[in-house]
Amino acid sequence: LSHKGGGEGRREAFSVLSSSSSMAMAMARLPLSSPASSLAKLPSLHAPSHSSSPLSFCHVNSVSCSQSVPISARAPGCGLGCGGWPSKSVVCAPVHAVTSRTASQQLTDINALKNKKVLEVDPVRLWGRYLEWLYQHKELGLYVDVSRIGFTDEFVVEMEPLFQRAFQAMDDLEGGAIANPDEGRMVGHYWLRKPELAPNAFLRKQIEDTLDAVSKFARDIVSGKIKPPLCPTGHFTQVVSVGIGGSALGPQFVAEALAPDNPSLKIRFIDNTDPAGIDHQIAQLGPELFSTLVVVISKSGGTPETRNGLLEVQNAFRERGLDFPKQGVAITQENSLLDNTAKIEGWLARFPMFDWVGGRTSEMSAVGLLPAALQGINIKEMLEGAAAMDEATRVHSIRKNPAALLALSWYWASDGAGSKDMVVLPYKDSLLLFSRYLQQLVMESLGKEYDLDGNQVNQGLTVYGNKGSTDQHAYIQQLREGVHNFFTTFIEVLRDRPPGHDWELEPGVTCGDYLFGMLQGTRSALYANKRESITVTVEDVNPRSVGALIALYERAVGIYASLVNINAYHQPGVEAGKKAAAEVLALQKRVLAVINEASCRDPVEALTLEQIAQRCQASHQIEMIYKIISHMEANDRVLIAEGNCGSPRSIKVFTEECNVEDL
């Protein structure tokens, strides 16, 4: 409590701790008619600097309380628990009665609401909590268990207004509101699995036409109706998907989770600008390059990594005398650089990406559906699973909405400020890439410096993970006994093998039973040491359950973003990194020009780093120039005349050949 002075027997206090035992004990020591100086001795409690508590001022007249007061018992509009206090002694008034509060100022002080509560350990009560908070979607065979997250009933009540605001924000988003204000865009990935939700007939037709076109093209490729140009009697056998970020992580996750053992077309991904990685993927194709379909995915058409991958693949085609356009497919925004290139060169097919679908939520668009369909994955069922989950997550009830339960748990576990990491542990090999997929979905969406009101908040939620039970032999040791800076999400799959294929390793125990035992044992061991966890269970890994998982976490991210008042649908930090990378490459061109000019002199002039920096007029960037020189020297693009890169001040650099055309 902070004393604000005031008149005879009257004090104003701001409470950020509604039922703290420390506050109750301190107040219990006050006499019934305590002087102002006594209140000044109470513990000083402060909300985080980036937000204000949604609690309220209480005007207190000579009162004391010997017990902590639950939030649910307080008088309406009062942040300090007023129930149990003499009725004539308390007048409750909302904070900022005159000036309206921003959404950020309404964020709850979670540390206060947690009240240092000890996690429930009594088995009977824990079973009751499990039953109370277990969510089940019978149609999808999906369960969400948040019983091992320690939130209290009081916390849920306190969060209810924020959740109702979040639910309304999601309704508005689906209705076509500008949900990405920084870029002035709608956010419509939910429309992809239910086109009738689109705000106008034009968008609905775009979605439906694209789905029809994707399905038909995939059927024609798989059936052999569309054939490789140099094999008129054969089929396409391979797919190379060129894309990065959301254009790769979703398709990679779905391929790993759902592709059959012998897919219609085997898929490979070029998802980086690493030359060795690209060479490896192309080399693995071998003679099948002539029967390889190349799908290039870039929303803008100008993403450097994707462009580089495309150029490398095109070069491989040229070297083998193949006509790339007849095997190329573009997925990009209409009239982008990539779209226009594909149109002019006559690529085999083009499919649209929409302005209102972000990369990390594009799996249910052509970005994810075409690669999946080419592998023989049932994309209709994947869309149906996502649509069913969307319907479940539209419910305006925390208890009955699985995405809201996840957002509630994240908020509690991470103090609404990302104070703890989320460790994702799928106990199924086919779901290994789910944690990588969630890394982008969660971290790129929630990792923001500013909230919607312009306040600096540095929000986020760190995600990492492995698969079970590999985790048991990797980092469970630290999770169980080390730094307590995380909470866990277990992904459980009930079905071990297809029906009729299981057998017992020993009496009564199968291989899958061991995996089940490791999951449950790890969950119990972590909780016994006060490590909280969520468990998401699906009956099987199939297109419907994978679609549902994607939709579940997309909505959970959207709801959580609303709770903490940030824009989940832009990525200014990513753009800043791209800009900085472009500046490095521009500097490299200047460095090369300076070295080339000196190398064309007679005699050749070898330059020190200082000389290069001065001639580039970039003395303030000498460290970066040194790194550029080191990289080029390692790749035989410049030569060291004197010294070595391990001693930067000693080196002198030149090029072996003088490029007169560059002078």
Side-chain angles (χ1 to χ4, degrees), residues 178 180 183-188 191 203 206 299 332-334 352-359 569:
I178 301 298
N180 180 356
E183 298 175 349
R185 293 177 179 174
M186 297 185 293
V187 175
W191 309 334
L203 292 181
Q206 274 191 315
K299 186 174 183 178
T332 185
Q333 262 190 287
E334 189 176 1
M353 292 181 74
F354 304 118
D355 177 71
W356 35 267
V357 176
Y569 307 107

Side-chain angles (χ1 to χ4, degrees), residues 518-590:
M518 295 303 290
L519 187 157
Q520 299 301 331
T522 301
R523 173 176 175 265
S524 298
L526 291 179
Y527 190 75
N529 211 23
K530 301 179 177 60
R531 270 61 169 164
E532 296 173 294
S533 68
I534 301 165
T535 301
V536 177
T537 302
V538 293
E539 291 182 357
D540 201 356
V541 178
N542 54 47
R544 286 177 64 83
S545 64
V546 167
L549 283 172
I550 290 171
L552 171 64
Y553 278 89
E554 284 178 346
R555 184 82 65 165
V557 165
I559 291 174
Y560 185 88
S562 182
L563 295 180
V564 298
N565 192 41
I566 59 170
N567 180 358
Y569 307 107
H570 73 332
Q571 48 281 334
V574 176
E575 302 308 320
K578 291 179 180 178
K579 181 180 177 182
E583 291 171 354
V584 171
L585 294 177
L587 176 61
Q588 177 174 301
K589 291 179 180 179
R590 288 155 55 197

Side-chain angles (χ1 to χ4, degrees), residues 126-139:
L126 205 51
W127 170 241
R129 180 174 174 82
Y130 176 82
L131 294 176
E132 179 184 4
W133 286 101
L134 179 66
Y135 172 86
Q136 178 188 14
H137 195 298
K138 293 182 180 179
E139 178 190 349

Side-chain angles (χ1 to χ4, degrees), residues 592-632:
L592 282 171
V594 165
I595 296 174
N596 181 64
E597 181 183 7
S599 299
C600 289
R601 293 179 179 178
D602 189 15
V604 171
E605 182 183 10
L607 301 178
T608 66
L609 286 176
E610 287 77 8
Q611 289 172 322
I612 296 171
Q614 289 171 1
R615 296 183 189 186
C616 286
Q617 297 182 341
S619 295
H620 61 292
Q621 292 181 289
I622 191 168
E623 180 180 337
M624 185 58 67
I625 291 172
Y626 163 66
K627 292 181 179 295
I628 289 170
I629 295 296
S630 297
H631 179 248
M632 290 195 296

